[in-house]
């Protein structure tokens, strides 16, 4: 974090500074990192005692002090010999501190901020954009999938005075979520990738999801840039909701930044990238799945606006080997068995894209196996969407389907009711049962997709299979 005095931190978060038992003064400057997990604290750090789902961060404050924390941000005074800033809500305070840091770095005139949202692909696009921008200047981007009211501010707090680019992944848990994040760090460039059924149950339907994703661009000003997906009608409609200049990306002729000659294989995807300037290059893209080309186009569109040349854009895209941990991650290899672990999250759109990729990269004469679990947070759409995915597996002629968990069982039922399918579907209750079945049934040359929402836990099944065939 940039250097701030204790008094400046307290003022930024509207908190009460208490120095009882501390050797520091109000003017003492803190430069250490900010942590919400006491296990990561090092000398000089700030520990934010965030409430958790099952515990309370205040219980771990003594550990943070033992590890050398110089400051605690807490909701009640603790009997510890360390400086403390007491606030009504530590999550709100964390956001306020992040906003202060962004404001101070931005005032120096070099920082450009890119916000990324969408129902699918946020983390991949963020990683691609970071890989491109790092080639031309110091870049800060979200850690993992840190995209909520805690994760996004934690990313912002990594800024230094030298940072040129900040890429913030902005997820949403409901209406107003993205607007709240953009108020902490207003983007110069706002990217909207797509609007799908991910979390539709939480949002109250697809229209509410669309309105929420549009919050990324509604507060942009005339000098900003909205990077919008021309291939998604709901995203395209957001052009009417922003004052910013719009740059379109996609695979159709309407897009200024587009891909052509797309060829997907099990080792990645090649395509011809055309920028808004008219320059074009062939990209050998190692991230598995044709659907990730759209994310590459979004990253390229933003980078071009930030002054990055096509050679650096292509080099950055080609340097990324995987989308992210547990996202189209290629494992295995022994006996020609390939495991694609894509079980960090799942929506109808991402499940469809993953199954299509599985079918596309099938080697002649070899089998494809789909191990699928629940798509969570779909609300009343859950039943019909699980049915649809089961039928898609039939239409794509997937060699074998294994459905895991009661919440996903309708996929299995819909496939066995499809009498024309020559494939085979099996249902098991647990990931352990799926592992035992696969261990005994996989054949040399098989390509296996493991896909589910995070809550189903299949990502660990994918890891076990990868280890088994490594």
């Amino acid at each position: 974090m940039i250097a701030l005095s204790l008094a400046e931190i307290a003022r930024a978060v509207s908190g009460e500074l208490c120095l009882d038992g501390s050797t520091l003064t109000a003017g003492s400057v803190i430069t250490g990192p900010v942590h919400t997990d006491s296990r990561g604290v090092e000398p000089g750090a700030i520990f934010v005692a965030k409430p958790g789902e099952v515990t309370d961060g205040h219980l771990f404050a003594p550990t943070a002090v033992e590890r050398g924390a110089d400051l605690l941000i807490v909701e009640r005074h603790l009997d510890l010999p360390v400086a403390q800033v007491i606030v009504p809500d530590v999550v709100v305070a964390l956001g306020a501190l992040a906003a202060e840091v962004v404001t101070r770095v931005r005032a120096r005139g070099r920082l450009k901020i890119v916000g990324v949202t969408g129902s699918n692909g946020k983390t991949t696009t963020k990683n691609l954009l970071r890989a491109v921008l790092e080639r031309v200047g110091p870049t800060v981007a979200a850690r993992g999938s840190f995209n909520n009211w805690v994760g996004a501010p934690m990313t912002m707090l990594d800024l230094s005075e030298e940072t040129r680019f900040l890429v913030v992944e902005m997820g949403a848990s409901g209406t107003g979520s993205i607007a709240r994040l953009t108020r902490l760090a207003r983007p110069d460039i706002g990217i909207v990738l797509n609007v799908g059924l991910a979390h539709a149950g939480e949002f109250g339907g697809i229209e509410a999801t669309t309105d929420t994703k549009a919050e990324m661009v509604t507060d942009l000003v005339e000098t900003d840039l909205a990077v919008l997906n021309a291939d998604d009608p709901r995203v395209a409609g957001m052009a009417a909701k922003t004052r910013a200049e719009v740059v379109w990306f996609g695979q159709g002729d309407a897009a200024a930044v587009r891909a052509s000659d797309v060829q997907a294989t099990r080792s990645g995807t090649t395509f011809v990238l055309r920028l808004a300037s008219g320059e074009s290059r062939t990209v050998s893209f190692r991230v598995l799945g044709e659907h990730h080309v759209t994310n590459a186009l979004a990253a390229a569109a933003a980078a071009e606006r930030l002054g990055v040349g096509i050679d650096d854009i292509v080099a950055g895209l080609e340097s990324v080997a995987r989308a992210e941990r547990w996202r189209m991650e290629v494992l295995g290899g022994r006996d020609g068995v390939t495991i694609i672990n894509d079980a960090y999250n799942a929506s109808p759109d991402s499940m469809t894209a993953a199954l299509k990729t599985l079918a596309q990269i099938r080697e002649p004469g070899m089998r494809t196996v789909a191990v699928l679990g629940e798509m969570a947070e779909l609300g009343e759409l859950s039943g019909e969407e699980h049915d649809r995915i089961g039928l898609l597996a039939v239409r794509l002629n997937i060699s074998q389907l294994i459905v895991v968990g009661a919440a996903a069982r309708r996929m299995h039922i819909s496939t066995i009711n499809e009498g024309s399918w020559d494939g085979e579907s099996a249902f098991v209750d647990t990931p352990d049962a799926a592992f035992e079945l696969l261990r005994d049934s996989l054949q040399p040359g098989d390509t296996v997709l493991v896909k589910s929402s995070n809550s189903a836990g299949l990502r660990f099944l994918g890891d076990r299979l990868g280890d088994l065939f490594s």
Side-chain angles (χ1 to χ4, degrees), residues 139-162:
T139 301
V140 170
R143 312 167 189 172
S145 292
F146 278 18
N147 60 30
N148 60 14
W149 295 340
V150 173
M154 290 291 288
T155 300
M156 300 171 198
L157 289 167
D158 283 339
L159 288 174
S160 70
E161 295 181 356
E162 291 73 38

Side-chain angles (χ1 to χ4, degrees), residues 260-275:
S260 61
D261 302 317
V262 179
Q263 300 290 330
T265 70
R266 64 196 304 115
S267 60
T269 308
T270 60
F271 64 95
V272 176
L273 168 67
R274 183 180 179 86
L275 297 180

Side-chain angles (χ1 to χ4, degrees), residues 173-225:
S173 57
T175 302
S177 299
I178 293 173
R180 175 175 172 177
L181 293 174
T182 60
R183 284 194 291 269
L184 301 182
R186 185 186 63 76
D188 300 285
I189 299 175
I191 299 173
V192 185
L193 298 167
N194 45 54
V195 176
L197 292 176
H199 315 298
E202 285 187 327
F203 283 88
I206 194 68
E207 295 308 320
T209 303
T210 303
D211 290 342
T212 300
K213 300 301 181 185
E215 293 170 7
M216 175 61 75
V217 298
T218 50
D219 288 338
L220 297 180
V221 300
E222 290 83 353
T223 55
D224 295 331
L225 183 71

Side-chain angles (χ1 to χ4, degrees), residues 370-375 386 401-409 411-412 425-435 437-438 450-452 456-458 461:
V371 186
L372 307 182
E374 179 191 13
M375 300 178 291
H386 282 86
L401 174 66
I402 297 175
V403 177
V404 185
R409 192 169 185 269
M411 282 192 277
H412 170 65
S425 181
F427 171 77
V428 294
D429 287 311
T430 66
D432 285 342
F435 179 79
L437 177 59
L438 289 159
V450 183
K451 178 74 173 170
S452 73
L458 296 198
L461 170 63

Side-chain angles (χ1 to χ4, degrees), residues 66-90:
E66 290 173 5
R67 295 180 66 90
D70 274 349
L71 174 66
L72 307 179
I73 298 180
V74 293
E75 293 178 359
R76 60 181 182 271
H77 183 266
L78 302 178
D79 187 17
L80 293 169
V82 66
Q84 301 173 44
V85 172
I86 304 170
V87 296
D89 186 318
V90 296

Side-chain angles (χ1 to χ4, degrees), residues 324-331 339-344 448-451 458-464:
E324 181 61 90
R325 182 84 165 97
W326 298 313
R327 291 175 172 88
M328 299 302 285
E329 184 176 13
V330 180
L331 306 170
I339 309 296
I340 304 170
N341 193 355
D342 193 30
Y344 186 82
V448 185
L449 169 70
V450 183
K451 178 74 173 170
L458 296 198
R459 62 196 186 281
F460 304 119
L461 170 63
D463 286 344
R464 291 178 70 189

Side-chain angles (χ1 to χ4, degrees), residues 385-409:
E385 290 300 325
H386 282 86
D387 288 344
R388 188 178 67 79
I389 293 300
L391 294 175
L392 178 64
V394 174
R395 290 198 299 272
L396 292 174
N397 198 29
I398 302 302
S399 304
Q400 181 171 22
L401 174 66
I402 297 175
V403 177
V404 185
R409 192 169 185 269

